[in-house]
Amino acid sequence: MLINQSILNGLPGRMRVDGMDLQSQMPLSFEMQGAAELPQQQNPGTNFADLLADAVNKVEGDHHKALNLGFEFAAGNTTIDPHQVMTAVAKAETELHLTSAVTTRVAQGYQTLMNMQI
Amino acid sequence: MGLYNVFDIGASALTANRFWLETIANNMANASATRTPEGGPYKRKMPTFQSVLDEMTGMGGGVHVTGTNQDQTPGPLIYKPGHPDADPNGFVRMPNVNVVTEMVDMITVSRSYDANVTIINAAKNMHQKSLEIGR
């Protein structure tokens, strides 16, 4: 899954996410460019796009970790305990619910802002 | 991060319980083993658990297994004159494994596993509930 923020205007930096190949064991990696060039006035925490991207990246990483554990367990790797697979799956599931709730509220807040009459 | 620590702590407890059950199974399987690679009859093994302390926050981080120790109590001497491991008087030193003790430990492990799974489920339910704030 690729997130390319360069199409969004007015953002201080760019974030690139490498999706994890399910055959490989490499964990999810992302690099952040232009973070040092953040203008002093802009607060990154209030940037809706950054919040969304952060949350989605973390969920993607944990989701891939859980999937990989499940595949290895199914392939017969006996060093993996069943409870490790299930706790990884539960973590990914709760994170997904949390991200979905956060993005819903964030979008609602944005809508409220946009609907304000000037 | 928040409630996810509970997942990790619970998972460490489940791993420790799984290891303990392996030790119990090994004890039961070797309850009649009168010879071992290091010589002598089989000696019952017990795992030792150590609590994990997170240096940064000072809070507990779960449990981990530090290893197994042998129970040095000598086992019973049984009179078996024809046994290849019998001493000159015809007695054989049997392992110090007591079936009843191992069964009780197994029940303890099973209940502990259930309890830890319940705690993990409770943490997950609390997480789900917290998403309903402000709805």
Side-chain angles (χ1 to χ4, degrees), chain A residues 81 83 91 95 97-98 105, chain B residues 4 8 15 18 131 133:
Chain A
D81 290 320
H83 62 258
K91 248 196 226 185
E95 273 175 347
H97 283 296
L98 177 66
R105 302 290 180 87
Chain B
Y4 297 135
D8 292 332
T15 306
R18 194 259 312 150
L131 296 179
I133 291 175

Side-chain angles (χ1 to χ4, degrees), chain A residues 45-52 55 99-113:
Chain A
T46 60
N47 196 327
F48 287 132
D50 282 342
L51 280 174
L52 277 172
T99 307
S100 157
V102 163
T103 54
T104 308
R105 302 290 180 87
V106 159
Q108 279 174 358
Y110 183 74
Q111 280 296 316
T112 314
L113 268 175

Side-chain angles (χ1 to χ4, degrees), chain B residues 4-5 19-20 40 42 44 82-83 85 99 104 113 117 119:
Chain B
Y4 297 135
N5 278 339
F19 184 84
W20 195 356
Y42 177 81
R44 178 176 166 254
H83 200 273
D85 291 326
V99 173
V104 167
Y113 198 93
V117 169
I119 291 175

Side-chain angles (χ1 to χ4, degrees), chain B residues 52 54 117 121:
Chain B
V52 174
D54 188 3
V117 169
N121 283 338

